[in-house]
Amino acid sequence: MKIHEYQAKEIFKKYGLPVPLGIVAHSAQEAKQAAEELGTPIVVVKAQVHAGGRGKAGGVKLAKSPEEAAEIAAQMIGNRLKTYQNPEGLPINVVLIEAGVNIDKEFYVGMTLDREVSRPVLMVSAAGGMEIEEIAKTNPELIIKEHVDPVTGLMPFQARKIAFKIGLTDKKVISQFVKLAMTLSKMYFDLDASLIEVNPLVLTKEGDLICLDAKIDFDDNALFRHKDILELEDTTQIDPLELEAKKWDLNYVKLDGNIGCMVNGAGLAMATMDTIKFYGGEPANFLDVGGGATVERVAAAFKLLLSDENVKAIFVNIFGGIVRCDRIAGGIVEAAKQVELDRPLIVRLEGTNVELGRKMLEESGLNIIPAKDMADGAQKAVKAAKGEL
Ligand code: ADP
Ligand code: MG
């Protein structure tokens, strides 16, 4: 789960991390008031959307007066911000009005899981301001990494080592950095975060470190023990199809292709996508209906596939181990009663209660193209999506 910058900064503050003074605004009027209240010669108006790279996309702007802040806010609120991370754009409903900070130097600080060594890693770079993906590609040596033992958390010596490597020399700044890094590590574990990022962390002309941007992503699987964090979710920032899938507890990821896939089990879902690609097709989604699929959930999943306009054909690939084939068939029949099945449907069923499942589909009168195995189904789906079947 993602949250907004202003929400992340509230959490940063609770942990005693330095962030600029800021006030949230929902309208131009509120933006003007906020700028007046801050009273700094320069304020920064920051669009609150779930995407990075806002600065380059026009979502972070300086204002030299409360009136200018109001003008900028009026342009932002109600519009969508398109960034390189999200080309379709996300709606701006809230802006953060923040005191302008005198930047001397920008750093990158991030903590996430390094899957290659199965440990969290703290990454810091003096090449701040740039996108970290870009630095990783062009100058990986500029990213300093310290792996963190989950039993102890980040150790002070590790934080000091990084401070020296990124060229900090002032004693006060080094001690600020060590405290900051230790706190970020503590937050990462406390909050079950999957990513905490400060890009940029800045050294001000006055000689202090301050977190100018803040990002926290949470591990969805641990949210049940963070009820307060769950309340921070802003559903306007989530793809409507993915939101619907979440409601039904379906593992759904939208992709760019045109073959809708409904599969049980993440492994089979991956293999199905590979097989479709192998035969020259492009999957429109990853969808795992899971083991405990009920008729209602399968029907919801099926409707979800049909509501994606890019989908030209649907491939249902089920191996009934835990989930029974008759439930899947029941879900498809149920969904077809509620929404018109207006695209070719290829079904491969195998496993528990397969005969019953096939019989239900046959008797439903639905126009279903049966597949004898996975390869056959994938080939038929590829053809159907091209209109050749
Ligand atoms: P994003 O990462 O989405 O582009 P940031 O919050 O990192 O958004 O802001 C982009 C840039 O805008 C920063 O690198 C910094 O140079 C500038 N900026 C952001 N907030 C402030 C602030 N409060 N004062 C001065 N400059 C700021
Ligand atoms: Mg940033």
Side-chain angles (χ1 to χ4, degrees):
M1 188 187 115
K2 292 181 178 6
I3 58 173
H4 288 295
E5 173 197 9
Y6 78 90
Q7 295 168 319
K9 280 179 169 165
E10 284 299 320
I11 299 176
F12 274 34
K13 267 198 266 181
K14 279 194 198 136
Y15 277 84
L17 290 176
V19 297
L21 282 175
I23 300 171
V24 165
H26 301 84
S27 64
Q29 180 57 25
E30 282 184 22
K32 184 163 172 261
Q33 273 169 13
E36 279 164 359
E37 212 172 300
L38 290 172
T40 46
I42 289 183
V43 295
V44 184
V45 184
K46 307 181 79 173
Q48 299 299 292
V49 292
H50 285 183
R54 294 166 302 163
K56 285 193 194 106
V60 177
K61 286 189 171 155
L62 299 183
K64 293 197 181 70
S65 68
E67 289 70 29
E68 199 184 347
E71 264 169 47
I72 297 169
Q75 284 161 15
M76 287 182 180
I77 295 170
N79 280 315
R80 292 175 85 85
L81 185 69
K82 294 183 182 148
T83 63
Y84 78 98
Q85 284 184 350
N86 194 317
E88 281 184 18
L90 289 167
I92 308 172
N93 304 313
V94 183
V95 294
L96 175 64
I97 311 295
E98 202 164 66
V101 170
N102 281 320
I103 304 172
D104 185 24
K105 228 181 144 353
E106 299 195 332
F107 301 92
Y108 171 92
V109 183
M111 184 149 167
T112 189
L113 182 67
D114 185 344
R115 288 170 203 277
E116 267 171 38
V117 294
S118 313
R119 277 206 170 181
V121 62
L122 182 71
M123 295 178 289
V124 184
S125 176
M130 267 169 80
E131 299 310 329
I132 194 69
E133 294 86 357
E134 194 55 37
I135 308 174
K137 237 187 268 163
T138 54
N139 297 83
E141 73 287 352
L142 295 181
I143 302 174
I144 320 268
K145 290 184 185 177
E146 279 291 323
H147 287 98
V148 179
D149 187 325
V151 175
T152 59
L154 184 76
M155 300 293 279
F157 80 88
Q158 293 182 292
R160 281 195 296 274
K161 197 157 90 183
I162 297 176
F164 297 132
K165 281 194 185 166
I166 56 172
L168 299 180
T169 48
D170 185 83
K171 259 201 182 143
K172 184 187 86 180
V173 176
I174 291 172
S175 105
Q176 282 181 1
F177 179 83
V178 170
K179 185 163 165 253
L180 184 130
M182 302 288 294
T183 307
L184 288 178
S185 162
K186 180 171 166 26
M187 282 169 67
Y188 181 85
F189 292 109
D190 277 5
L191 303 172
D192 291 309
S194 55
L195 172 73
I196 301 188
E197 207 175 57
V198 186
N199 188 21
L201 167 72
V202 305
L203 182 61
T204 64
K205 294 221 168 95
E206 295 78 23
D208 291 305
L209 287 180
I210 183 162
C211 305
L212 219 58
D213 194 3
K215 176 173 178 173
I216 311 178
D217 290 352
F218 300 93
D219 182 344
D220 289 347
N221 294 312
L223 280 173
F224 71 94
R225 53 186 189 194
H226 300 284
K227 298 277 183 284
D228 49 333
I229 290 169
L230 259 178
E231 281 169 19
L232 300 178
E233 181 161 54
D234 178 0
T235 51
T236 68
Q237 303 291 310
I238 304 172
D239 180 276
L241 294 184
E242 290 190 12
L243 199 62
E244 179 68 14
K246 217 171 156 183
K247 209 168 84 193
W248 290 94
D249 212 12
L250 299 161
N251 291 313
Y252 173 87
V253 182
K254 191 169 155 38
L255 301 167
D256 300 330
N258 59 8
I259 300 174
C261 308
M262 186 163 95
V263 189
N264 68 313
L268 187 59
M270 298 295 282
T272 304
M273 297 189 332
D274 281 349
T275 312
I276 287 172
K277 278 192 163 268
F278 180 78
Y279 288 113
E282 288 293 335
N285 65 280
F286 170 95
L287 172 61
D288 169 15
V289 291
T294 59
V295 168
E296 292 76 29
R297 269 180 73 203
V298 173
F302 206 72
K303 280 195 270 180
L304 201 76
L305 293 186
L306 286 170
S307 67
D308 181 349
E309 282 170 12
N310 295 334
V311 167
K312 297 282 177 272
I314 295 177
F315 180 24
V316 174
N317 186 16
I318 300 293
F319 181 80
I322 299 171
V323 68
R324 294 166 10 205
C325 293
D326 54 315
R327 285 223 182 118
I328 298 288
I332 294 173
V333 175
E334 188 54 42
K337 276 188 207 153
Q338 297 170 24
V339 283
E340 191 199 349
L341 176 59
D342 54 357
R343 278 154 275 183
L345 170 63
I346 296 95
V347 178
R348 178 249 177 170
L349 285 178
E350 210 56 75
T352 311
N353 289 1
V354 63
E355 292 308 331
L356 179 59
R358 284 189 189 145
K359 191 159 158 268
M360 285 167 73
L361 290 178
E362 263 166 41
E363 289 173 358
S364 70
L366 290 171
N367 184 15
I368 290 170
I369 304 161
K372 62 178 193 302
D373 55 33
M374 194 156 138
D376 181 42
Q379 288 174 78
K380 284 177 172 158
V382 173
K383 274 199 186 143
K386 286 184 189 154
E388 293 172 3
L389 201 74

